[in-house]
Amino acid sequence: VKKLHIVVEGSLLLETINQEVKEVKTGDYFGEENLFDDQNLPLNVTAQTDCSLLTLSRKKFEKILNRCPRILLCLCQKK
């Protein structure tokens, strides 16, 4: 499923298939790679604290992107 997840509150650990571990916190996001690629990258997500996430499907994200293309620049600058 192609979705963008935005951490509204809390802290999570992301573990990739290569066992790379990354911490994401309030204001961070993940899953953006799956929005632009036809493959789904496996990812294990473990909450370190109570969390609230905002999740956008690819279709919803595209609607937002059409209204505000600058969002794409922000995503590119994150990496």
Side-chain angles (χ1 to χ4, degrees):
V1 179
K2 299 180 181 307
K3 294 184 178 179
L4 172 68
H5 306 279
I6 302 167
V7 182
V8 176
E9 183 178 355
S11 175
L12 304 108
L13 286 179
L14 310 179
E15 184 178 356
T16 66
I17 196 167
N18 299 329
Q19 297 180 340
E20 296 174 18
V21 177
K22 177 182 176 184
E23 182 179 20
V24 291
K25 297 181 178 181
T26 302
D28 292 335
Y29 52 90
F30 60 97
E32 69 277 7
E33 298 92 355
N34 290 335
L35 291 175
F36 305 110
D37 199 337
D38 285 334
Q39 65 182 11
N40 283 325
L41 302 174
L43 186 66
N44 289 321
V45 180
T46 305
Q48 293 187 292
T49 64
D50 288 340
C51 297
S52 295
L53 301 175
L54 172 65
T55 302
L56 297 172
S57 67
R58 184 177 186 170
K59 186 175 180 178
K60 292 277 187 185
F61 179 75
E62 287 174 352
K63 285 183 181 181
I64 293 170
L65 194 58
N66 285 333
R67 289 184 175 183
C68 186
R70 288 186 59 124
I71 291 173
L72 190 55
L73 290 174
C74 293
L75 286 174
C76 291
Q77 292 173 352
K78 175 189 173 194
K79 300 296 176 183

